[in-house]
Amino acid sequence: MNSAREDLVSGAPAAHLYQPDLVVVDAVTDETPDTRTYRLRFRDADRAAAFTFRAGQFGEYSVFGAGESTFCIASPPTRTGYLECTVKAAGKVTGSLRQVDVGDLLGFRGPYGNAFPVEEWEGRDLVFIAGGIGLAPVRCVIWNVLDLRERYGDVTIVYGARSVADLVYKRELEEWAARDDVRLVTTVDPGGETADWTGEVGYVTPVVERAAPRAADAVAVLCGPPIVVKLTLPVLARLGFADDAVYTTLENRMKCGVGKCGRCNIGSVYVCKDGPVFTAAQLKALPQDY
C-alpha cells in the first residue's frame, strides 16, 4: 500500500484503489416501503478484525453486475463485528439492492472521508437534527454518543419525515423516547400523521425553533434534504449556535470516494477527501452550489 492510499483510507488494505472487500449480508430490515437497512460483515476474518472507522465516514457499496453507490456507515464505531448502511431505493444500484437477501455477497470500499469530532464534544450538550433518510448518518453519531453517554451533556434529537410511514429506525425512536437521558422530538409534515400519532405535526425547521434547544456550550449536528439544511441553519444561528458549532454532511455529492472522478468538487474542495463532514462556517466559505 502506498502512502497516498493510507492517507485516504483508514484501515483499508485492498491491493488496488477500486478493489472492494467482500461483505456478507447478515440481516435486512425494512425501515419504510422504499428504505432498508443492511447489516454486513467482512467475509475475511482478518479484515473484519482489522476494520475500524470513525463516526461520519462513508463507504462505497457495490452490487455485482449493477455498480456501486455511496452511503454513510450508519452503525457506530463503538459496536464492532459488523457495519450497517441504510438505503432508499432510487436508482439502478439502490434498486438492485432490493433484490439482495441474507447470505448474499456485496462489495465494500472504505472507510473514506473525515468524521465528526466526537472526542472534542465531550462535556458539551448535543443537538441532533435530521429529516427523512438524513437520520442515517446522524444515527451513527447518536449511538456513538449514547454508547459513551457519561462523557456528554444533554442530548436532544429532533427528527422529522413526510409521514409516519416515512420515519426510519422506528424501533430505535421508541428506544430513545423511553430513555430519561435523551430528549426526543419527532414530527411529520402536515397531512402525514395518523390517528394514533402522538408526535409533532409540522416541518422540521419550525419544530426546531419551537423546541429551542439550549445553544450555550452546545453542538448541533444537522442532516437531511438540502432544503432542510438550508432553512435550518439560520434558525440555529438565531438560537445562538455559532457557525463552528454546527456540523452537517454532504455525502450525496460523492461518487468515487477518493478524489479521482471530480463529481464532488465544490470550488477547490473535494467533498470525499475534505468532507463529507463540514461546519456551517466551512459551508459559508464554499461556492454556494452545494
Side-chain angles (χ1 to χ4, degrees), residues 36-49:
R36 283 179 171 173
T37 296
Y38 300 85
R39 177 168 291 197
L40 312 171
R41 62 176 169 82
F42 290 97
R43 190 173 71 167
D44 182 81
D46 291 338
R47 176 69 175 115

Side-chain angles (χ1 to χ4, degrees), residues 125-274:
D125 293 345
L126 302 178
V127 180
F128 299 98
I129 304 164
I133 192 65
L135 185 56
V138 178
R139 174 211 195 206
C140 173
V141 197
I142 291 173
W143 278 122
N144 193 150
V145 167
L146 294 184
D147 286 345
L148 304 170
R149 185 65 184 87
E150 70 283 356
R151 301 184 185 182
Y152 301 93
D154 294 341
V155 172
T156 300
I157 303 168
V158 180
Y159 173 55
R162 287 180 298 178
S163 70
V164 174
D166 291 309
L167 294 166
V168 296
Y169 309 131
K170 293 181 179 66
R171 292 165 298 282
E172 291 169 58
L173 292 174
E174 293 176 358
E175 182 176 344
W176 297 339
R179 294 180 63 131
D180 58 10
D181 58 356
V182 173
R183 178 192 180 196
L184 175 68
V185 181
T186 52
T187 186
V188 295
D189 292 355
E193 69 271 28
T194 59
D196 59 350
W197 175 245
T198 58
E200 297 274 346
V201 176
Y203 300 109
V204 170
T205 299
V207 169
V208 171
E209 193 151 26
R210 290 200 300 270
R214 187 176 61 183
D217 199 31
V219 170
V221 178
L222 168 64
C223 189
I227 188 62
V228 172
V229 175
K230 181 178 181 179
L231 295 178
T232 305
L233 286 174
V235 169
L236 291 173
R238 288 198 297 273
L239 290 172
F241 285 85
D243 286 345
D244 61 1
V246 177
Y247 293 79
T248 190
T249 175
L250 301 182
E251 67 176 47
N252 63 327
R253 300 276 314 198
M254 300 177 291
K255 179 65 176 176
C256 75
V258 292
K260 301 295 185 182
C261 72
R263 286 276 298 274
C264 71
N265 71 295
I266 308 174
S268 62
V269 169
Y270 283 82
V271 174
C272 66
K273 295 171 63 177
D274 301 306

